[in-house]
Amino acid sequence: MSQLTLALTIAGMAAVTFGPRLLPTLFLAAAQLPRPVVVWLRQVPPAVIAALLAPSLFVPSGHLDIGPANYGLWLAVPTLFLAWRTRNFYLTIAFGIGALAALRLVTS
C-alpha cells in the first residue's frame, strides 16, 4: 500500500468518524430546540450505556445467566442505585469496580 493510499484511507476514516458528530453540533449550536426534543436527547446517553452493558450483565458467557454466580449482574443493582442517588461518575465507577473485586476476592 502506498503512502498516499494510506493517508487517504486515514483521512477518510477520520471524516466518517467525526463527520456525524461535528455536523449536528455545527448546525444546532445556535438553534433553540423544542423542549420535547431536549428531554428526549437527555435519554440517549443512559440508553446507549444500557445497550452496551446489558449483554455483559445478562449474557456474560454466551447464555442467559441470572443466577447467584453472576456477580456483575447483582452488583449492578447497588451500583446503579448509587449512580442515581449521587450522580457522581467517578464514585460510581470506583464503587462498582471495588465491590466486584472485593466479592471475587472473598468468594474465590
Side-chain angles (χ1 to χ4, degrees):
M1 182 181 305
S2 72
Q3 294 295 325
L4 177 61
T5 304
L6 181 62
L8 289 174
T9 301
I10 292 172
M13 290 170 30
V16 168
T17 300
F18 292 113
R21 296 178 184 154
L22 183 62
L23 292 177
T25 304
L26 292 175
F27 289 121
L28 298 176
Q32 184 69 20
L33 296 174
R35 176 127 175 89
V37 173
V38 172
V39 170
W40 180 78
L41 285 174
R42 284 189 187 144
Q43 303 306 313
V44 171
V48 169
I49 290 172
L52 291 172
L53 285 178
S56 64
L57 291 178
F58 292 104
V59 191
S61 57
H63 64 280
L64 182 63
D65 182 10
I66 56 172
N70 187 353
Y71 302 137
L73 176 62
W74 301 115
L75 287 175
V77 174
T79 304
L80 288 171
F81 180 75
L82 179 70
W84 173 65
R85 295 296 293 163
T86 65
R87 306 273 185 198
N88 186 325
F89 176 77
Y90 295 110
L91 178 64
T92 302
I93 296 296
F95 173 79
I97 291 172
L100 184 59
L103 186 61
R104 285 189 177 168
L105 183 66
V106 169
T107 58
S108 60

